[in-house]
Amino acid sequence: RPLRLEDDDMIRFMSILMIILTAFLCGLNNIYVPYQETEQLGNFNETFQFLFWTMFGMEEHKVVDMPQFLVPEFVGRALYGIFTIVMVIVLLNMLIAMITNSFQKIEDDADVEWKFAR
């Protein structure tokens, strides 16, 4: 059996990723809809693109700034910061752990597979 990430692990990871992305997408979008200060936030499609490219570090954090509205700016910055931490630290480490677990399962079965092939 070739070395590969287990299918159920990948489905589980992608479903968790989509749930978290959707939650932050709805939260950030709803904060910025009444203000329409930036072109990238306040529109569902544009907010999704902003968060998607944020996962790869390709967006500037200044997009969430609204100097004239203090409370929505604070909440937006907080949500954006939490999103970045969750995506980069938690989900990346979870993916590494899932790959390591799959590799360990395959490594444990390697002797049996070798004997069966002989």
Side-chain angles (χ1 to χ4, degrees):
R1 183 171 133 196
L3 177 63
R4 64 182 174 85
L5 185 63
E6 296 293 321
D7 294 336
D8 58 334
D9 286 347
M10 200 64 197
I11 292 170
R12 197 172 1 158
F13 175 76
M14 290 305 288
S15 62
I16 292 171
L17 175 74
M18 290 311 296
I19 289 169
I20 292 173
L21 182 64
T22 304
F24 280 100
L25 171 63
C26 292
L28 269 177
N29 191 53
N30 287 336
I31 289 171
Y32 288 91
V33 163
Y35 304 102
Q36 294 293 329
E37 288 294 313
T38 64
E39 298 172 3
Q40 292 175 305
L41 296 172
N43 178 348
F44 205 75
N45 188 33
E46 296 296 323
T47 305
F48 174 77
Q49 290 179 15
F50 172 70
L51 290 179
F52 178 78
W53 289 113
T54 294
M55 289 190 293
F56 300 108
M58 302 197 55
E59 288 288 344
E60 291 187 23
H61 65 278
K62 299 284 185 200
V63 175
V64 296
D65 292 347
M66 290 190 306
Q68 61 273 28
F69 305 107
L70 294 177
V71 174
E73 179 188 32
F74 174 76
V75 175
R77 281 184 177 179
L79 272 178
Y80 183 67
I82 293 169
F83 172 77
T84 306
I85 289 170
V86 166
M87 284 296 163
V88 172
I89 296 175
V90 176
L91 286 180
L92 187 61
N93 283 329
M94 186 176 78
L95 181 62
I96 291 169
M98 292 169 98
I99 291 172
T100 304
N101 188 31
S102 295
F103 180 78
Q104 190 61 46
K105 286 178 189 175
I106 293 168
E107 186 71 25
D108 291 343
D109 294 340
D111 188 46
V112 174
E113 294 287 334
W114 179 80
K115 287 177 183 173
F116 181 73
R118 285 296 272 168

